[in-house]
């Protein structure tokens, strides 16, 4: 059983329906590093980490921050954040000559426990699986977020932000060397169309604190749990 302690984020919790199409587009399209309240790690370098399930029924993209000194990879950032945030879960491959692959990402929206239909057991938010078992599982709690895929439904695509645009990563996360100010994103890409790059990008002007985007409304993250 994992242990956790509550941390309070400095952002203000708010729930708002944005009636202005212009305001909704601006809020849903951008964020700045100053808006990120959930930071993992310590050090002089900072990077942002975005996940977008492209799941209209539950939640839009979510953003975390990662700090480090020395060298770090995209894999280091994902592992550190998943290990730290006790609501976040990942199904990954075992190590290969190319590093590890991401098969599934999940989030315990109501913080009441998380599981997936194939019975995978998670340790510090991580479970390993083979490529042949990377399709078809779903969250056992319908309130939670979970999408996985490799051969069938789709796959988790890896994106890097350049200015205010996303570009498809030319390397996997294990071979991705982070630099200060980088923004990495994961978006589920559905076979047959849909999904792809996260629907928010970094922006030079502040927008509300680290958030879920629900349709045309926004919910700030007022409290998250940190793994010990």
């Amino acid at each position: 059983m994992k242990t956790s302690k509550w941390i309070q984020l400095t952002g203000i919790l708010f729930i708002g329906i944005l009636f202005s199409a212009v305001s909704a587009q601006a809020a849903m399209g951008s964020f700045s590093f100053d808006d990120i309240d959930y930071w993992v790690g310590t050090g002089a370098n900072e990077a942002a980490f975005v996940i977008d399930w492209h799941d209209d029924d539950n939640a839009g993209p979510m953003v975390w921050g990662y700090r480090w000194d020395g060298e770090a990879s995209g894999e280091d950032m994902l592992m550190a954040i998943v290990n730290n945030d006790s609501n976040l879960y990942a199904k990954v491959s075992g190590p290969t000559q190319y590093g590890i692959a991401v098969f599934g990402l999940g989030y315990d929206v109501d913080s009441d426990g998380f599981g997936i239909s194939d019975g995978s057991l998670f340790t510090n938010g991580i479970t390993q699986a083979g490529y042949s078992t990377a399709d078809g599982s779903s969250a056992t709690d319908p309130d939670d977020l979970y999408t996985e895929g490799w051969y069938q439904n789709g796959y988790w695509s890896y994106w890097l932000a350049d200015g205010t645009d996303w570009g498809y990563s030319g390397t996997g996360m294990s071979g991705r060397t982070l630099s200060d100010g980088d923004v990495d994103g994961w978006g589920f890409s559905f076979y047959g169309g849909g999904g792809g790059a996260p629907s928010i990008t970094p922006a030079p002007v502040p927008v509300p604190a680290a958030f879920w985007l629900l349709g045309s409304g926004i919910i700030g993250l007022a409290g998250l749990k940190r793994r010990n």
Side-chain angles (χ1 to χ4, degrees):
M1 180 178 295
K2 64 193 178 190
T3 58
S4 62
K5 62 182 179 180
W6 283 98
I7 61 169
Q8 285 297 117
L9 300 184
T10 57
I12 299 173
L13 174 65
F14 62 96
I15 302 175
I17 302 300
L18 303 181
F19 295 100
S20 166
V22 174
S23 297
Q25 183 178 6
M28 293 180 69
S30 60
F31 72 94
S32 74
F33 275 52
D34 290 340
D35 304 314
I36 301 173
D37 286 317
Y38 199 120
W39 287 92
V40 172
T42 59
N45 302 305
E46 295 184 343
F49 178 81
V50 181
I51 301 177
D52 195 340
W53 283 264
H54 294 294
D55 184 343
D56 294 336
D57 293 333
N58 286 290
M62 299 178 67
V63 186
W64 293 257
Y66 176 61
R67 294 189 175 108
W68 79 98
D69 285 322
E71 293 187 0
S73 67
E75 177 185 337
D76 292 329
M77 177 162 64
L78 181 145
M79 289 296 185
I81 291 171
V82 173
N83 290 166
N84 187 277
D85 184 348
S86 61
N87 287 338
L88 186 62
Y89 294 81
K91 178 191 277 191
V92 300
S93 72
T96 73
Q97 61 179 322
Y98 304 108
I100 66 172
V102 173
F103 297 141
L105 293 170
Y107 194 83
D108 182 6
V109 173
D110 45 13
S111 302
D112 63 351
F114 182 85
I116 59 177
S117 56
D118 67 2
S120 293
L121 299 178
F122 293 85
T123 301
N124 290 327
I126 299 292
T127 190
Q128 286 190 1
Y131 287 80
S132 62
T133 58
D135 289 282
S137 294
S138 58
T140 54
D141 182 347
D143 293 330
D144 292 340
L145 287 165
Y146 184 75
T147 305
E148 74 171 36
W150 192 256
Y151 296 116
Q152 300 175 17
N153 184 40
Y155 69 102
W156 279 98
S157 52
Y158 187 31
W159 300 82
L160 311 179
D162 179 11
T164 57
D165 296 318
W166 291 104
Y168 196 84
S169 175
T171 185
M173 65 175 178
S174 303
R176 156 75 161 159
T177 300
L178 294 176
S179 297
D180 186 38
D182 279 347
V183 181
D184 287 18
W186 289 90
F188 197 78
S189 295
F190 295 91
Y191 293 140
S199 57
I200 52 171
T201 55
V205 294
V207 294
F211 45 83
W212 297 338
L213 302 175
L214 302 181
S216 59
I218 298 176
I219 299 180
L221 300 182
L224 293 174
K225 291 185 287 184
R226 182 190 301 269
R227 286 191 175 94
N228 287 333

